[in-house]
Amino acid sequence: MLPRQLSDDVRGDFPFFTEREDGAQVLYLDSAATSLTPRVVLETMTDFYVRLSANVHRAKYLHSQLASEAYEEARSTVARFLGMEAAEVVFTAGCTAAINLVAAGLELGAGQAVALSLYEHHANILPWMSRHRVVWFDPARCDANALADLLRREKVGLLALTACSNASGVVPPVAEYAAAARQQGIPVLIDAAQYVPHYGGNLPALGGDFYVLSGHKMVGPFGVGVLAARFEWLERLAPPWLGGGVVERVSSDGYTLRGIPTRFEAGTPPIPEVLGLARAAEYLEGLGWARLQAHEEQLRARLAERLARIPQVVRLEAEWEGRRSAVTSITFAQQGTRWEDLVARMLYDRFKICVRAGHHCAHPYLSARGHGGTVRFAPYFYNSLEEIDRVADALEEVVGQLMPTR
């Protein structure tokens, strides 16, 4: 019998774990794509629809005023969670929308490039690639000094990088990179979507100017995210979307925008999702980051140890010696077949194990490492060591059947 784990204390918070499929408990290991949602978040959103169900910043009747107060209190809660000021938090439809907001609204100098790390999700590639020249650097082979040289040589106007790879769990030295950029007056956008759920919300410690994240990665709802940015950079940002809610006044010959951050939230915002996001932040803080990280490190270490026993399996970035989350991807020593698709399908069909197969919206990264796709295991704090053993046993059986060793 294993000692009591964090997962033992939180499983009851998640309705997902009460469900069965064909009589079996589904093992969910795809939290890098979407984390599960605790009951308190669902109840917060439902309560809004039941009690208020009114738009914000629009009317003088009580329901709308209460909705507006709850919405702005949620902004303050999220700001505290992230280590920012309330005026520095813009609610968006998600991480992708937040990056596109910056890409569309930030003016770079003529001929300036955007520097991207090789670990980026497509959401932090395509908005820049469609507008600017892009230069790449590989965090596994590029320290802060080498990056500083690249930024000067390539006339870079913005550095955009992830704080944690969604494909491998690798945590690059983001603060060092950001410091190198800011010494040259180059703004830094940090994709914190995979970082915050595992390491908490002290964003200023990362040293960026813009930060983006998504609610559904951090036990929050779908369809809501955050652009958090230093106020002086929000002042330089032109709102790319205009409409109701962002203006003080419109006349026949012009308009006056509202203040920051409201001017970036055109139209009706995702109000219940914003309230749910704030409640998700409170839930994560209530777990205690030290305890969450210690549990996840146990999961990561157990998974790495079990994978090392399977000779057909190759772990992505196994040589990385720095910090990394529990997210782990594997490829296979035997080439010539899309093994990741077969393995993932068999894990679910035979063992009811949910994992992700494919490129994880990280084509440049996997291509540079010589991989077409991987199987990704993404445990979170609600998973247990017993589940890691269960998936490792199942994987060993499946791989042994598909790729028997002689």
Side-chain angles (χ1 to χ4, degrees):
M1 178 70 68
L2 289 169
R4 189 164 187 84
Q5 304 169 62
L6 174 57
S7 54
D8 296 326
D9 295 334
V10 302
R11 296 278 282 210
D13 296 341
F14 293 84
F16 179 90
F17 294 114
T18 64
E19 298 297 317
R20 295 289 187 274
E21 185 162 334
D22 298 330
Q25 170 68 64
V26 174
L27 198 169
Y28 189 77
L29 288 177
D30 196 23
S31 293
T34 296
S35 56
L36 301 178
T37 311
R39 188 173 286 103
V40 291
V41 171
L42 301 174
E43 291 172 347
T44 295
M45 297 168 65
T46 300
D47 180 69
F48 169 80
Y49 281 116
V50 171
R51 289 194 311 108
L52 301 176
S53 199
N55 210 334
V56 296
H57 308 145
R58 299 291 201 279
K60 300 302 181 184
Y61 58 87
L62 180 61
H63 293 73
S64 179
Q65 290 178 335
L66 291 176
S68 300
E69 291 173 5
Y71 184 83
E72 292 305 326
E73 179 56 35
R75 193 191 306 274
S76 296
T77 297
V78 172
R80 287 193 298 270
F81 173 74
L82 299 177
M84 308 291 287
E85 298 295 325
E88 298 175 319
V89 169
V90 177
F91 291 120
T92 70
C95 193
T96 300
I99 295 171
N100 274 277
L101 192 160
V102 178
L106 183 65
E107 184 176 351
L108 299 185
Q112 287 190 311
V114 174
L116 301 175
S117 95
L118 196 61
Y119 293 164
E120 299 313 306
H121 187 282
H122 293 169
N124 204 22
I125 297 174
L126 300 181
W128 309 115
M129 187 176 282
S130 67
R131 293 173 171 87
H132 305 287
R133 179 170 57 92
V134 166
V135 296
W136 299 89
F137 70 97
D138 187 345
R141 298 172 175 83
C142 181
D143 63 14
N145 290 330
L147 177 63
D149 291 339
L150 173 72
L151 300 178
R152 280 189 292 268
R153 185 172 65 251
E154 295 290 346
K155 298 181 180 178
V156 168
L158 175 79
L159 171 63
L161 71 165
T162 184
C164 180
S165 167
N166 77 306
S168 65
V170 163
V171 177
V174 172
E176 296 175 23
Y177 292 150
R182 291 179 66 179
Q183 285 175 0
Q184 298 183 38
I186 298 170
V188 180
L189 181 142
I190 296 176
D191 178 354
Q194 298 289 336
Y195 182 90
V196 167
H198 305 285
Y199 300 105
N202 183 18
L203 294 185
L206 297 176
D209 299 290
F210 302 97
Y211 308 92
V212 299
L213 61 145
S214 287
H216 71 104
K217 309 290 188 184
M218 48 174 284
V219 305
F222 288 103
V224 66
V226 172
L227 166 63
R230 294 168 56 207
F231 192 83
E232 56 265 37
W233 280 102
L234 288 177
E235 288 183 307
R236 303 186 197 186
L237 205 60
W241 308 305
L242 298 177
V246 303
V247 290
E248 293 287 357
R249 180 175 175 80
V250 180
S251 67
S252 58
D253 58 358
Y255 57 87
T256 303
L257 288 173
R258 297 183 68 180
I260 296 170
T262 313
R263 66 174 55 178
F264 298 108
E265 296 175 0
T268 297
I271 305 165
E273 287 77 13
V274 165
L275 304 186
L277 175 62
R279 189 65 189 89
E282 292 175 331
Y283 179 87
L284 288 175
E285 284 194 320
L287 298 177
W289 289 108
R291 189 183 182 203
L292 184 152
Q293 290 164 18
H295 179 67
E296 284 199 14
E297 176 57 23
Q298 287 184 312
L299 300 179
R300 187 206 62 78
R302 175 69 67 87
L303 182 57
E305 187 270 327
R306 290 298 309 271
L307 291 175
R309 301 183 197 175
I310 307 175
Q312 302 95 324
V313 164
V314 178
R315 188 162 59 101
L316 184 63
E317 299 283 11
E319 69 281 1
W320 180 267
E321 296 180 353
R323 188 166 57 164
R324 62 194 308 163
S325 74
V327 174
T328 303
S329 287
I330 62 169
T331 59
F332 303 96
Q334 187 171 328
Q335 302 295 312
T337 300
R338 292 188 62 175
W339 296 114
E340 66 272 12
D341 292 339
L342 291 172
V343 169
R345 172 56 66 184
M346 291 177 68
L347 286 175
Y348 185 77
D349 288 346
R350 293 173 55 179
F351 301 98
K352 296 297 178 285
I353 296 172
C354 302
V355 296
R356 182 62 61 93
H359 54 76
H360 319 300
C361 293
H363 273 142
Y365 179 23
L366 295 185
S367 295
R369 296 294 188 261
H371 305 306
T374 74
V375 175
R376 184 181 68 187
F377 305 95
Y380 203 14
F381 62 88
Y382 38 63
N383 293 116
S384 67
L385 290 169
E386 293 91 341
E387 288 181 318
I388 297 299
D389 288 334
R390 177 182 158 192
V391 73
D393 291 342
L395 179 67
E396 190 167 16
E397 181 177 328
V398 166
V399 170
Q401 179 180 340
L402 293 174
M403 295 166 266
T405 57
R406 294 187 176 90

